[in-house]
Amino acid sequence: MIHPILLCGGSGTRLWPLSRKSYPKQFVPLVGTDTLFQASAKRLSGPDYAAPMVLTNSAFRFIVTEQLAEIGIDPGPVLIEPSGRNTAPAILAAALWLAKSDPDALMLVAPSDHVVPDSAAFRDAVNAGLKEAKEGQLVTFGITPTRHETGYGYLELTAAPESCANTSIALKRFVEKPDAETVEQMVASDHFLWNAGIFLFSARALLEAVTAFAPQLIDPVERAVTEAKPDLGFLRLDPEAWDQVDDISIDYAVMEHATNLTVVPFSAGWSDLGDWDSVLRESNPDERGVAISGPATAIDCDNTLLRSEDDSLEVVGIGLENIVAVAMPDAVLIADKSRSQDVKQAVNALKAKQAKQAESFPKDHRPWGWFESLVVGERFQVKRIMVHPGAALSLQSHHHRSEHWIVVKGTAKVTVDDEVRLISENQSVYIPLGAVHRMENPGKVPMVLIEVQTGAYLGEDDIIRYEDMYSRG
């Protein structure tokens, strides 16, 4: 069996405002109807594939399991990283976990935010590297360049890919992100591929490589795995040990030093969706290079992306050229397409002015569902709340606000102090200030309600939890 290892961290600031720290790009349907994470999980599934192991952080753990459930995939272990430490420690933790039961387990390590349109062709490429991976090689996948790209690292091969179709080639060296002149020379050559950051190897081979080239990682990561604690079906790596781990990528830690490296060329289409320009390329632009998404209209535009993420907000472009326009309910980005890589500067500027749009998504995703603010005024706030079937908010109370709940879809089971009752569509209930209360969805369909809060302070930290099925503080 091949064990998929899905790396699911990162903030994705270059695709702001659709991708933010609280809800990054891997969880968004940027191309197609599936999210990038869901598409990655589907691509790495099949008769020869084990359930995917996911490495993510605590904030995303319920999003991961929810999105996998939506596409009918049961996850394998979900390892929770206490903090981001880059790819080398994450991959090492996965290898140590697998090696406990099978040191020769084959690991297929992949980011969860890439686009690979042809899943069957990708699985064929994986099969082409199996023999070498079983023999102890570290196999990576190189993408045939389609343009002069300075934003990627490159792989230099010992032979031309064309002469080695459907097989693997020895790697000569890694090339860090080169300048434009060097890229032009490399793309003109037939010995260079883009580095996709996707790997296939056995747990044993990876552990041997880390021991040889980054031995400082072994002890703290091993302790983090050994002392990991189960938590509601997740596995939390030990935070004290994890704090001692170096922040380093797998390329720097291992790949650039190893000599047992093999490359499988792949030319069936790939993108890391690293900026809005790449999203435009993957969005099936028309003959004038224009792509639209959502309620958007382009009139006499060229090489332009118009995207609306709000059904009630129409985006219209007239006479635009080389423009990216992305509209969210709470933020709008308008940029020259050539400046797509600079969107992270906008995020930094918003952080500096303490704008919540810098990192927070309009919908606040929680283990039980999500909520969004519809109206915020002085001493009041109106929210829309969606609760999954069978889910429940914590038993809680507030010091500074009272609440009024109006059910608009489904049925709510509501607890207010000692009273428990069912509230159906178009019925409401009042929650006095200080009352101990809980909202549950006992039904088989999502439950939606409108919440009206009033009080002197309406912050999310005004909450005392008494019971919580999700073990939050």
Side-chain angles (χ1 to χ4, degrees):
M1 299 292 285
I2 299 169
H3 295 264
I5 312 297
L6 287 171
L7 305 178
C8 201
S11 57
T13 56
R14 288 179 296 178
L15 289 179
W16 185 91
L18 190 55
S19 173
R20 309 187 196 181
K21 183 178 180 180
S22 68
Y23 204 73
K25 68 174 182 174
Q26 60 263 32
F27 301 123
V28 177
L30 273 162
V31 178
T33 55
D34 288 331
T35 69
L36 299 180
F37 172 68
Q38 289 173 323
S40 298
K42 284 183 176 180
R43 186 165 59 250
L44 307 186
S45 63
D48 299 325
Y49 290 78
M53 178 188 295
V54 181
L55 285 105
T56 188
N57 63 46
S58 185
F60 302 152
R61 65 195 190 281
F62 293 106
I63 299 173
V64 163
T65 52
E66 177 186 327
Q67 291 203 352
L68 287 176
E70 288 174 358
I71 58 174
I73 293 179
D74 291 327
V78 178
L79 273 58
I80 307 301
E81 299 177 75
S83 57
R85 285 294 186 268
N86 217 314
T87 54
I91 295 169
L92 176 58
L96 287 165
W97 180 258
L98 285 173
K100 290 195 297 183
S101 56
D102 181 8
D104 294 309
L106 288 177
M107 304 170 58
L108 179 58
V109 180
S112 60
D113 57 359
H114 290 184
V115 169
V116 182
D118 193 337
S119 295
F122 179 77
R123 287 191 288 267
D124 287 342
V126 172
N127 291 335
L130 282 176
K131 178 177 179 292
E132 285 74 12
K134 291 176 181 177
E135 293 174 350
Q137 292 284 301
L138 305 176
V139 179
T140 185
F141 295 83
I143 310 301
T144 303
T146 56
R147 62 187 181 276
H148 294 172
E149 178 60 69
T150 59
Y152 297 155
Y154 285 73
L155 307 170
E156 184 176 4
L157 311 179
T158 57
E162 293 78 8
S163 63
C164 303
N166 298 318
T167 187
S168 56
I169 308 167
L171 176 67
K172 185 175 182 179
R173 66 182 176 115
F174 283 80
V175 179
E176 280 302 306
K177 297 176 182 179
D179 58 32
E181 182 179 352
T182 305
V183 164
E184 187 173 353
Q185 295 171 358
M186 291 194 304
V187 173
S189 166
D190 56 4
H191 283 60
F192 289 88
L193 302 175
W194 288 336
N195 179 9
I198 304 172
F199 304 97
L200 176 67
F201 38 64
S202 68
R204 185 189 303 275
L206 190 277
L207 293 175
E208 289 175 352
V210 175
T211 301
F213 304 114
Q216 76 280 5
L217 296 177
I218 294 290
D219 180 62
V221 175
E222 190 167 34
R223 283 191 289 113
V225 171
T226 301
E227 299 172 20
K229 299 291 191 295
D231 178 10
L232 296 175
F234 307 102
L235 191 71
R236 289 184 178 273
L237 299 175
D238 182 72
E240 184 177 342
W242 198 252
D243 281 346
Q244 308 304 313
V245 177
D246 288 350
D247 184 332
I248 187 170
S249 73
I250 193 68
D251 283 357
Y252 280 124
V254 172
M255 299 302 169
E256 293 184 2
H257 310 287
T259 57
N260 57 332
L261 289 164
T262 299
V263 181
V264 174
F266 185 72
S267 58
W270 168 89
S271 174
D272 71 343
L273 290 188
D275 57 26
W276 283 113
D277 190 16
S278 62
V279 174
L280 172 57
R281 284 194 297 270
E282 297 296 326
S283 299
N284 298 316
D286 63 18
E287 66 278 1
R288 296 185 64 170
V290 174
I292 62 173
S293 177
T297 303
I299 300 172
D300 195 26
C301 296
D302 293 283
N303 301 317
T304 290
L305 175 67
L306 300 179
R307 186 169 182 131
S308 174
E309 298 297 323
D310 187 336
D311 290 339
S312 64
L313 194 160
E314 185 78 29
V315 174
V316 180
I318 303 175
L320 301 179
E321 185 174 357
N322 299 322
I323 292 295
V324 169
V326 181
M328 297 283 290
D330 64 337
V332 177
L333 169 70
I334 302 172
D336 189 292
K337 189 164 69 76
S338 66
R339 300 289 300 276
S340 293
Q341 290 281 347
D342 296 331
V343 171
K344 56 187 176 182
Q345 295 182 18
V347 177
N348 292 334
L350 292 174
K351 285 181 183 178
K353 62 189 292 187
Q354 298 183 331
K356 65 180 182 180
Q357 290 91 337
E359 297 184 338
S360 298
F361 209 66
K363 282 185 179 179
D364 194 325
H365 290 262
R366 297 298 173 93
W368 42 260
W370 52 261
F371 70 83
E372 60 181 341
S373 294
L374 302 178
V375 181
V376 179
E378 185 177 357
R379 295 183 61 88
F380 78 92
Q381 179 173 204
V382 181
K383 290 181 177 180
R384 176 165 54 183
I385 299 175
M386 190 283 290
V387 183
H388 295 302
L393 281 68
S394 60
L395 186 67
Q396 58 186 253
S397 66
H398 309 294
H399 286 303
H400 302 289
R401 69 174 185 258
S402 59
E403 297 171 344
H404 196 93
W405 295 344
I406 306 159
V407 176
V408 295
K409 180 181 178 181
T411 299
K413 181 181 178 182
V414 176
T415 299
V416 182
D417 289 327
D418 295 328
E419 182 183 4
V420 180
R421 57 181 168 138
L422 294 178
I423 306 296
S424 57
E425 291 178 5
N426 208 31
Q427 293 184 320
S428 63
V429 63
Y430 175 66
I431 313 297
L433 186 150
V436 177
H437 59 281
R438 189 206 309 268
M439 178 198 314
E440 304 173 58
N441 180 359
K444 303 296 184 182
V445 298
M447 183 267 288
V448 180
L449 60 83
I450 302 300
E451 178 183 80
V452 180
Q453 302 176 350
T454 57
Y457 178 74
L458 306 174
E460 290 302 317
D461 55 347
D462 176 23
I463 182 171
I464 301 171
R465 286 194 176 98
Y466 303 98
E467 296 176 9
D468 183 32
M469 63 189 296
Y470 307 108
S471 300
R472 295 169 295 175

